[in-house]
Amino acid sequence: ATELADLGWHIESAGTSAFAADSANPNSVECAAEVGLDLSNHRSQSIDDALQQDWDLVLAMSPSHLHALPSGIAATMMDPAGHAVPDPFGQSLSVYRRTRELLTAACQEWAKRWQTWPESGQTYVTAGA
């Protein structure tokens, strides 16, 4: 994330059903740690709070998240092919791992697409549950 900020990118996560300042789910923390990410200090934010800032694009994990966004917000699906990324909340660690794989693939595809953009300093927020 530091490297992205150095390039002028600002990316955040928010949830349509999230309560502000909640800790990450223990399965999320464990899943992230398996790939070298530390979510121990992560705190949730609601999409309403996140949308107090201007974003160039909001990436939604599912069609229901996409439709929950206010009109006039530039938004599309997190999965570049338009498939929903299942919410693992309340499920087993293996489901969290599968969600991590889907999100990783989606992020890699978006990064490839964004490399062709002439602009820098774009801002994004992902919308999930």
Side-chain angles (χ1 to χ4, degrees):
T2 302
E3 298 84 10
L4 292 173
D6 291 344
L7 295 171
W9 289 78
H10 184 85
I11 300 170
E12 291 188 20
S13 173
T16 56
S17 299
F19 294 105
D22 278 350
S23 299
N25 179 286
N27 282 347
S28 293
V29 173
E30 185 171 342
C31 241
E34 290 173 354
V35 294
L37 300 173
D38 180 5
L39 293 183
S40 61
N41 292 321
H42 176 79
R43 297 295 177 260
S44 63
Q45 71 172 326
S46 72
I47 191 66
D48 292 333
D49 288 345
L51 291 177
Q52 298 305 306
Q53 300 179 62
D54 288 328
W55 298 98
D56 295 306
L57 183 62
V58 175
L59 300 174
M61 289 180 58
S62 75
S64 64
H65 296 134
L66 190 60
H67 296 300
L69 296 170
S71 62
I73 299 290
T76 192
M77 294 293 288
M78 177 73 180
D79 180 285
H83 302 290
V85 176
D87 185 351
F89 185 76
Q91 298 187 53
S92 69
L93 185 58
S94 65
V95 176
Y96 277 78
R97 287 178 178 132
R98 177 66 183 139
T99 300
R100 179 190 64 205
E101 292 167 9
L102 293 170
L103 290 172
T104 298
C107 290
Q108 289 171 340
E109 179 59 29
W110 278 112
K112 279 184 6 188
R113 291 179 184 198
W114 291 332
Q115 287 177 8
T116 64
W117 285 13
E119 300 90 359
S120 63
Q122 302 296 323
T123 57
Y124 298 88
V125 63
T126 60

